[in-house]
Amino acid sequence: MTDTYCGYIAIVGRPNVGKSTLLNHLIAQKISITSRKPQTTRQNVTGVKTEGPVQMIFVDTPGMHRKQTKAINRYMNRMATSATADVDVIIFVVDRTQWTSDDDNVVEKLQQAKAPILLVINKVDAIEDKEQLIPHVVMLQQKLQVAEIIPISALRSHNLDRLEQEIVRRLPQGIHLFPEDQITDKSSRFLAAELIREKITRQLGAELPYQIAVEIDQFIDEGTLVTIAATILVERDGQKRILIGEGGSRLKTIGSAARVDMETLFDAKVMLKLWVKVKAGWSDDERALRSLGYQDPS
Ligand code: GDP
Ligand code: MG
């Protein structure tokens, strides 16, 4: 008989409610990129947290979308739905009292879920009148059968210990699937590409739509020095100009911000070279998506 516990926890919710922020603060490391704009997370990211006898394996999902016009959106929906099928606990994240039809869409998908659902009301630090929450909670309880309702602030790590307790008591007994010091199953290449994408979306805000992808062309790990070469794919010439900026200034800012985060993550000095290439139509092309590593989970 094993006296250890191990289980999978899915983090679901519409875009921009704070799922990636929650994962990062639960793991206390930056493994999932975040931004003010929706659609930052395109792939499920696994974060692993081991505390004594308990191992929690988190999957962060892309937000579920209603509009499925482009191949990339359809792909994101498939990933989000498959993530809830085989887990031990589901964390359903909502943003304060801001309920939208995308939240209803998530509720609809969760109706078939077998795992217990912890409904997390996030960003409570940004609610002025906390009284507003009471009628909202009543409304939520009518929509979906949930095991617990937990108000948190992911950003300020507020009430995350309570959330963790509620997760831990629902995990099955089992041997640990990851070594104690491992925090993610993602490759360093993947994390490097995600960090670059995060810096681009942060720097450019509304200027560039979500039509960028990052390919890692070279990743050489020599222990104290990691050399990375990456290509940023955009859809149009105009986007390439914006991304590069006056005399290359913008690309330089993006590169140095990404490099700083990479040095923390890899605990090494990082040499980063960035290129920008126009590849029209990549985000609506199933084959191009596969070649960029957006694989189906099955
Ligand atoms: P995701 O799309 O659900 O993964 O959302 P992100 O984690 O990328 O977060 C979206 C935005 O919400 C970012 O600007 C976060 O900084 C912000 N955010 C996340 N959690 C909190 C929180 O607890 N309080 C506040 N005020 N903002 C938050
Ligand atoms: Mg996210």
Side-chain angles (χ1 to χ4, degrees):
M1 258 281 293
T2 164
D3 51 6
T4 56
Y5 295 79
C6 184
Y8 279 87
I9 304 110
I11 305 178
V12 303
R14 69 166 161 85
N16 223 27
V17 291
K19 298 179 296 298
S20 299
T21 307
L22 175 60
L23 177 63
N24 289 337
H25 284 249
L26 282 166
I27 307 291
Q29 253 281 14
K30 185 161 194 169
I31 48 174
S32 190
I33 68 168
T34 65
S35 85
R36 280 174 206 289
K37 299 186 75 203
Q39 295 199 28
T40 307
T41 307
R42 291 203 190 128
Q43 303 207 40
N44 294 358
V45 171
T46 304
V48 186
K49 182 168 189 173
T50 309
E51 275 182 332
V54 180
Q55 183 161 81
M56 291 171 268
I57 305 164
F58 294 97
V59 282
D60 178 24
T61 62
M64 298 182 188
H65 292 268
R66 282 160 69 80
K67 289 207 202 80
Q68 303 199 2
T69 46
K70 286 195 164 187
I72 181 112
N73 295 116
R74 287 196 296 273
Y75 168 84
M76 286 166 69
N77 261 320
R78 283 201 300 276
M79 290 296 285
T81 307
S82 69
T84 56
D86 203 21
V87 296
D88 302 293
V89 179
I90 295 168
I91 302 177
F92 174 22
V93 185
V94 300
D95 183 348
R96 291 161 288 173
T97 58
Q98 294 178 5
W99 190 266
T100 73
S101 58
D102 280 332
D103 290 298
D104 278 317
N105 184 41
V106 180
V107 166
E108 206 177 293
K109 297 226 164 85
L110 289 180
Q111 301 291 359
Q112 290 117 44
K114 298 202 174 59
I117 298 168
L118 306 178
L119 178 61
V120 161
I121 303 179
N122 190 28
K123 309 192 190 181
V124 291
D125 59 285
I127 301 180
E128 270 164 35
D129 179 13
K130 305 264 191 286
E131 295 274 299
Q132 288 176 353
L133 274 180
I134 297 162
H136 190 64
V137 165
V138 172
M139 187 277 289
L140 291 174
Q141 279 167 331
Q142 284 160 359
K143 281 187 187 284
L144 187 68
Q145 189 102 43
V146 299
E148 302 284 342
I149 297 179
I150 307 163
I152 66 159
S153 167
L155 202 58
R156 307 226 171 130
S157 291
H158 174 72
N159 220 18
L160 297 192
D161 43 354
R162 158 93 201 283
L163 173 59
E164 226 178 275
Q165 280 166 16
E166 296 296 344
I167 295 167
V168 168
R169 49 184 282 231
R170 290 176 170 84
L171 294 184
Q173 282 194 320
I175 54 158
H176 293 180
L177 300 174
F178 292 91
E180 198 179 338
D181 57 355
Q182 187 169 344
I183 58 160
T184 181
D185 72 341
K186 292 295 170 196
S187 69
S188 300
R189 293 176 83 101
F190 172 81
L191 294 170
E194 289 286 281
L195 281 173
I196 295 165
R197 221 159 52 74
E198 176 186 67
K199 299 313 170 200
I200 296 167
T201 46
R202 288 228 173 136
Q203 293 281 333
L204 296 180
E207 274 184 74
L208 197 76
Y210 277 74
Q211 291 164 351
I212 45 167
V214 177
E215 272 180 327
I216 302 294
D217 307 313
Q218 191 187 49
F219 192 106
I220 304 169
D221 186 351
E222 294 167 298
T224 54
L225 175 71
V226 181
T227 307
I228 300 167
T231 305
I232 303 166
L233 297 176
V234 296
E235 294 261 5
R236 283 187 294 278
D237 265 328
Q239 296 169 337
K240 180 174 171 175
R241 274 198 301 278
I242 292 171
L243 196 55
I244 291 173
E246 193 91 24
S249 58
R250 197 169 256 145
L251 193 61
K252 210 167 146 195
T253 311
I254 290 164
S256 45
R259 188 178 46 75
V260 168
D261 273 7
M262 287 171 185
E263 290 188 335
T264 308
L265 188 65
F266 302 141
D267 195 21
K269 227 183 137 34
V270 170
M271 278 246 301
L272 176 64
K273 284 174 241 163
L274 291 179
W275 280 271
V276 184
K277 206 161 92 185
V278 180
K279 187 171 177 180
W282 76 264
S283 70
D284 197 25
D285 177 343
E286 298 271 4
R287 221 182 56 219
L289 285 175
R290 275 198 302 278
S291 78
L292 288 168
Y294 294 107
Q295 302 278 3
D296 263 317
S298 51

